[in-house]
Amino acid sequence: MELCTEMKLVGDTYGSGFGCGLTLTGSATIRGFEKVGEDPSSLRYENGKGLALTVHKRQEQDALRVWTEFSNHSGEAVTLEMLASFALQDVEADAIYRLQSFWSAEGKLRRETVYDLHLEPSWSGHGVRAERFGTVGSMPVRKYFPFLALEDSRTGHVTAVQLYVGASWQMEVSCREKSGRLTVTGGLADREFGHWTRTVAPGESFTTPQAVIAQGEDLYQACARLVAAQHPAISPVDDHMGILFNEYCTTWGNPNLENLKAIADRLEGKGIQFFVIDCGWYGQGAEWPLSVGDWDVNTQRLPGGLREAADYIRSKGMVPGLWFEMESVGPKSRHYNDPTHLVKKDGVPLTVGGRRFWDMEDPWVVDYLTEKVIGQLKAGGFGYIKVDYNETMGLGVDGGHSLGDGLQRKVAASQRFFQKIREEIPDIVIENCSSGGHRLSPAFMELVSQASFSDAHETTSIPIIAANLHRAIKPEQSQIWAVLRVEDSDARLHYSLAATLLGRMCLSGDIHGLSQHQWDIVEEGMDFYRKAAEIIQKGVTVLHQCEPQSYNHPQGSQLVLRELDKQGLAVYHRFENSPQGLPALPEGCKVVATFGQADRDFSAQAWLYEKG
């Protein structure tokens, strides 16, 4: 396997083998470059016409971080229509893994062989075979995560890749040789897939997003090394795996001073670190969902403003948090019909469902959101912000060298505003939410402390989704909800609370109506979570056995083992038609703590153990 790169310039000859329209690899552009240098940090290519490619590489423990820089030293502008962040040639693999993702069903593992994908070479080796996939739009995790793994089933060896992208991206697996060895590329979605071109003037350069490549003896090890290479901006306030409470599934978008105080009173002394006020604190009456973008406090609900509510939460020993969907504008906003500062496509404001979008490259917008978002966080004394994002801009927007380039620029500007929040409020905890998990890309995860793992707030698929995400993000960032209901049986409480052991515990629901017996179970689960916190935060997932195919009607069971040195955490969930008995824990281990009882369908049990 050899690291290299791929690119295509507008006007150059496309590759042969019936690949035109299927792939932009193998063109005359890349064939015109020759390698002119290599050292531990880079590969350098030139084409003899003043154009240069540098593949930067940086070894980080067990992973390799790479990105490509294109430089134009010629006398005329050139236009890129594809530039890969990475390319791997001569890959020996016969199986391909992808992580599929749709709303409330994130991270489902999909394994296919080269035969399933029809990538087997022809009898003569002629004719390109290619599988190109990815995401188009401003939600980088939609249908797929920016992830790919390739397995050689003879040895079990796996090579895995993650792209650090905020918007449209692609990966591609192709075969051009009779040997059957594969070429793998990935980066920004190209002209054919993502409507992207970028003109580079003489003396200018363009740099791709980063990719991280890791290898392992199996999929567990390769994914663990990918995830370990992520460097999230964890707030110093948020480095002890504190428990959260979010009131959304308690008030259902109707927070007011009275019910916020009542919730804070009920939670006092229970060891909860963060109390997040979710949507509904702004706008007027029942139309508050449509007034996103104005961020005026609803004084009927909060007559004393946000500060009074935040101060009360702090007085009860918790850090107050606040929800924003800061990049969007709703139809009842006073800004909705003023196109001046909105994202446009084809010269008119881009409208998707009931939303338009702020142009985050516009200095006026940055100043406005600095006042409305950062200013209100400061004025209210909030230590936590939940940043939601509930629509996608689609294939592209105006403002760049192409629709796809315009999209990349707008999303990059949004990411800069995340950084601005932290610069202005250094210790703030930032939560990344995009209708749950649509932004669970490393490009966003490195900007935040935590992320909403999904919008699957009360479904029985929660533990399945939560375990899936171990392959893509750090569990210490994966915020998993346990929505508590008065009608919950003991088994259901165990089931919900045990799922949070696969990430960060977040509580919501009918906290006022729970009986003392129910609260005893919840607090037992909270205590167990605190005991397991270091393993969740610093450990490695070594086993993930998941039987269900359906997420709406899961059948069978799931077992996840996560270990840190000689300590381990086992989380077992039973679904419908689940097997009898309990799973086998690692041989010779000693159980030191137990939570729950997996004795029926839709029940759960967790163990802390020590290895001999």
Side-chain angles (χ1 to χ4, degrees):
M1 184 172 67
E2 178 185 359
L3 176 67
C4 54
T5 191
E6 260 284 1
M7 69 172 293
K8 170 73 171 65
L9 291 177
V10 170
D12 283 354
T13 301
Y14 292 86
S16 60
F18 322 114
C20 188
L22 182 66
T23 176
L24 288 176
T25 63
S27 71
T29 303
I30 197 65
R31 294 199 307 270
F33 280 83
E34 293 184 0
K35 186 187 289 188
V36 297
E38 180 174 0
D39 59 45
S41 64
S42 66
L43 306 171
R44 294 179 298 281
Y45 303 83
E46 294 179 358
N47 74 345
K49 299 177 182 179
L51 304 182
L53 283 169
T54 304
V55 181
H56 298 277
K57 53 182 179 174
R58 185 170 71 230
Q59 190 69 39
E60 298 179 359
Q61 295 182 331
D62 295 317
L64 182 68
R65 188 176 299 269
V66 300
W67 63 99
T68 299
E69 180 181 4
F70 170 75
S71 301
N72 183 2
H73 304 297
S74 75
E76 58 183 14
V78 296
T79 300
L80 296 160
E81 56 182 340
M82 187 269 283
L83 179 64
S85 295
F86 76 96
L88 298 173
Q89 289 183 334
D90 296 327
V91 179
E92 294 190 46
D94 56 4
I96 296 166
Y97 292 94
R98 292 182 270 191
L99 295 178
Q100 296 179 282
S101 200
F102 283 118
W103 181 75
S104 290
E106 289 85 352
K108 187 173 186 178
L109 185 67
R110 174 176 170 182
R111 183 184 187 274
E112 295 161 295
T113 68
V114 294
Y115 307 108
D116 295 328
L117 293 168
H118 210 25
L119 294 176
E120 183 182 22
S122 68
W123 61 271
S124 68
H126 182 58
V128 64
R129 275 53 168 156
E131 175 76 6
R132 179 169 56 188
F133 71 98
T135 291
V136 174
S138 54
M139 288 176 161
V141 178
R142 188 179 53 135
K143 191 171 183 180
Y144 294 107
F145 275 74
F147 165 95
L148 175 68
L150 301 107
E151 179 184 57
D152 184 343
S153 63
R154 297 169 302 172
T155 63
H157 187 268
V158 171
T159 299
V161 187
Q162 271 191 315
L163 292 173
Y164 283 52
V165 286
S168 300
W169 61 271
Q170 69 182 52
M171 290 207 203
E172 184 175 304
V173 182
S174 61
C175 180
R176 291 180 179 271
E177 299 181 9
K178 193 173 182 179
S179 69
R181 291 183 179 179
L182 303 175
T183 295
V184 185
T185 64
L188 295 176
D190 63 26
R191 185 182 186 182
E192 293 182 343
F193 193 80
H195 302 265
W196 179 86
T197 63
R198 180 68 175 254
T199 299
V200 183
E204 292 184 345
S205 62
F206 176 77
T207 302
T208 70
Q210 296 181 350
V212 170
I213 304 166
Q215 300 186 62
E217 297 307 309
D218 53 30
L219 185 63
Y220 295 113
Q221 189 176 69
C223 288
R225 288 172 173 175
L226 280 187
V227 172
Q230 297 172 15
H231 304 296
I234 304 290
S235 166
V237 177
D238 190 33
D239 61 354
H240 300 299
M241 299 289 288
I243 297 170
L244 298 90
F245 182 88
N246 184 303
E247 52 77 30
Y248 180 69
C249 291
T250 304
T251 74
W252 292 114
N254 294 288
N256 58 51
L257 185 61
E258 182 180 354
N259 61 32
L260 293 174
K261 284 185 172 181
I263 293 169
D265 289 342
R266 191 71 183 91
L267 298 178
E268 184 178 15
K270 296 197 179 294
I272 290 172
Q273 185 176 9
F274 303 104
F275 180 154
V276 181
I277 303 171
D278 212 282
C279 55
W281 57 266
Y282 51 89
Q284 297 301 319
E287 294 189 333
W288 60 262
L290 308 179
S291 63
V292 167
D294 290 348
W295 306 121
D296 298 326
V297 177
N298 184 327
T299 54
Q300 292 182 333
R301 293 183 175 181
L302 297 166
L306 290 168
R307 183 79 201 201
E308 183 176 1
D311 283 348
Y312 195 84
I313 291 169
R314 281 197 186 277
S315 76
K316 299 299 178 176
M318 293 171 283
V319 176
L322 192 62
W323 180 98
F324 282 94
E325 189 180 346
M326 64 192 189
E327 296 145 272
S328 301
V329 181
K332 293 293 183 178
S333 166
R334 58 182 172 270
H335 301 285
Y336 187 80
N337 292 312
D338 179 0
T340 309
H341 305 293
L342 301 178
V343 167
K344 300 174 184 66
K345 180 181 176 184
D346 302 324
V348 298
L350 174 63
T351 307
V352 184
R355 284 175 173 78
R356 292 178 173 174
F357 304 89
W358 286 121
D359 182 349
M360 299 296 289
E361 287 191 289
D362 185 335
W364 184 93
V365 171
V366 174
D367 290 343
Y368 173 79
L369 293 178
T370 299
E371 174 191 350
K372 285 294 188 177
V373 177
I374 297 174
Q376 293 205 82
L377 292 170
K378 288 180 177 179
F382 289 93
Y384 187 112
I385 177 174
K386 176 178 179 177
V387 181
D388 213 339
Y389 186 77
N390 292 310
E391 262 304 349
T392 172
M393 288 190 267
L395 67 87
V397 302
D398 299 344
H401 296 184
S402 60
L403 288 174
D405 183 56
L407 176 71
Q408 299 290 347
R409 290 171 186 251
K410 303 308 178 192
V411 173
S414 290
Q415 293 172 306
R416 290 194 294 272
F417 197 81
F418 275 75
Q419 295 169 328
K420 183 176 176 62
I421 294 171
R422 185 171 301 282
E423 289 166 3
E424 298 234 1
I425 312 174
D427 291 343
I428 196 164
V429 176
I430 302 176
E431 176 188 337
N432 165 29
C433 181
S434 179
S435 288
H438 288 93
R439 278 180 162 176
L440 297 179
S441 160
F444 276 97
M445 295 305 297
E446 290 201 331
L447 298 172
V448 302
S449 282
Q450 300 186 33
S452 295
F453 86 116
S454 179
D455 268 357
H457 294 136
E458 300 187 65
T459 72
T460 53
S461 62
I462 285 176
I464 303 172
I465 299 167
N468 287 344
L469 297 187
H470 284 211
R471 301 185 180 103
I473 67 173
K474 291 178 179 287
E476 69 172 311
Q477 291 188 278
S478 185
Q479 185 187 122
I480 301 159
W481 288 40
V483 179
L484 314 170
R485 297 298 180 204
V486 293
E487 63 271 20
D488 283 350
S489 64
D490 291 3
R492 176 64 193 193
L493 289 172
H494 290 145
Y495 186 95
S496 298
L497 292 163
T500 71
L501 299 170
L502 299 169
R504 294 291 298 262
M505 178 181 281
C506 179
L507 305 179
S508 193
D510 304 335
I511 60 165
H512 302 295
L514 298 181
S515 68
Q516 186 56 53
H517 171 72
Q518 289 174 312
W519 263 115
D520 288 343
I521 292 174
V522 173
E523 294 194 70
E524 181 188 358
M526 294 165 68
D527 288 341
F528 188 91
Y529 168 83
R530 294 185 186 101
K531 293 174 184 175
E534 187 177 18
I535 301 173
I536 300 169
Q537 182 180 34
K538 300 177 182 178
V540 174
T541 299
V542 298
L543 182 67
H544 177 189
Q545 294 177 343
C546 184
E547 297 175 356
Q549 293 297 310
S550 169
Y551 279 38
N552 293 331
H553 306 287
Q555 307 271 321
S557 64
Q558 175 179 275
L559 175 65
V560 177
L561 301 183
R562 190 164 175 85
E563 295 182 345
L564 177 63
D565 299 326
K566 293 188 176 182
Q567 302 177 83
L569 167 66
V571 183
Y572 181 61
H573 279 83
R574 294 179 60 173
F575 309 114
E576 189 176 12
N577 297 323
S578 59
Q580 297 298 312
L582 296 175
L585 298 181
E587 185 175 355
C589 75
K590 175 185 176 184
V591 174
V592 295
T594 304
F595 171 72
Q597 189 170 356
D599 58 355
R600 66 196 73 182
D601 284 357
F602 296 108
S603 62
Q605 193 162 341
W607 300 265
L608 288 172
Y609 60 87
E610 294 177 352
K611 295 162 63 176

